[in-house]
Amino acid sequence: MELEDLKNNWAAMTERLDRLEIENRKQLHKTVDSKVRQMRQRLLLRLTFVVFLLPLFLWNIMRHAEYNFSIQTWVMVCLFVVAIGIRQFTWMYLLDKIDCNRMAVREVCLAEARFRLSFKVGIGISVLLAIPMLTGMLWDMNRFGDPYLMAGAWTGLAVGLMLGLRLFFKAWRGVKELREAIDDLD
């Protein structure tokens, strides 16, 4: 009689443990999906920000005919904008590949690793293209001979650098949080 009770209790405990494990797995999947959705929203917000501000920036440069940038500077601006666009769309594509409901844990880890590598490479390429672009812009602005323009350019560069670093660290924190959520799946 006691042996039967122990077997029944053991089976009931095993069943409850299995249910708890399934619930825990579902909660972890929801956490990863939430992080991926949050990163997608941030990427879309940044892309929208670039799409609306880039024409305003170009219109502002074009309306001042006395300030004409060199062809090399315009080529660097175009390369930079194209690289940013490719980077953003690549990140959106790679984030869409992370799906806990359709993939095994190993595949999710590999998809996240590809995204993280793409993030690092994308940031590196953007920085490498931004340096000659900004150098060319400052060089051209120096030729214009307007000290107020140069003061504004250096101030804008300092403010832009601080904002860019803030955005980078916020995005990197999101990448790390996604990695931690996926590590919990193992």
Side-chain angles (χ1 to χ4, degrees), residues 23-83:
E23 287 297 319
N24 186 30
R25 178 76 53 190
K26 285 180 183 177
Q27 193 66 28
L28 290 173
H29 284 228
K30 285 181 183 177
T31 302
V32 170
D33 288 341
S34 169
K35 296 291 180 191
V36 168
R37 197 174 326 108
Q38 182 182 25
M39 291 188 73
R40 270 192 218 123
Q41 289 171 346
R42 286 182 184 164
L43 280 173
L44 192 58
L45 179 67
R46 288 185 191 123
L47 190 61
T48 305
F49 187 69
V50 167
V51 165
F52 284 120
L53 283 184
L54 186 63
L56 183 65
F57 168 71
L58 292 175
W59 173 77
N60 194 28
I61 288 176
M62 295 296 193
R63 73 184 180 108
H64 296 289
E66 67 272 9
Y67 302 127
N68 195 6
F69 288 107
S70 66
I71 296 297
Q72 293 86 0
T73 301
W74 282 113
V75 167
M76 290 308 299
V77 168
C78 290
L79 283 174
F80 181 74
V81 169
V82 167

Side-chain angles (χ1 to χ4, degrees), residues 91-121:
W91 289 351
M92 293 281 273
Y93 173 76
L94 290 174
L95 278 175
D96 285 341
K97 293 291 183 184
I98 301 173
D99 187 4
C100 293
N101 298 324
R102 294 182 308 152
M103 304 167 85
V105 174
R106 184 177 190 291
E107 293 171 327
V108 171
C109 289
L110 288 173
E112 186 276 331
R114 281 190 291 269
F115 172 75
R116 197 167 11 97
L117 178 65
S118 173
F119 183 86
K120 291 175 184 177
V121 169

Side-chain angles (χ1 to χ4, degrees), residues 155-170:
T155 304
L157 184 63
V159 170
L161 181 64
M162 287 187 281
L163 288 174
L165 286 173
R166 181 179 179 278
L167 285 173
F168 167 75
F169 287 124
K170 190 173 185 177

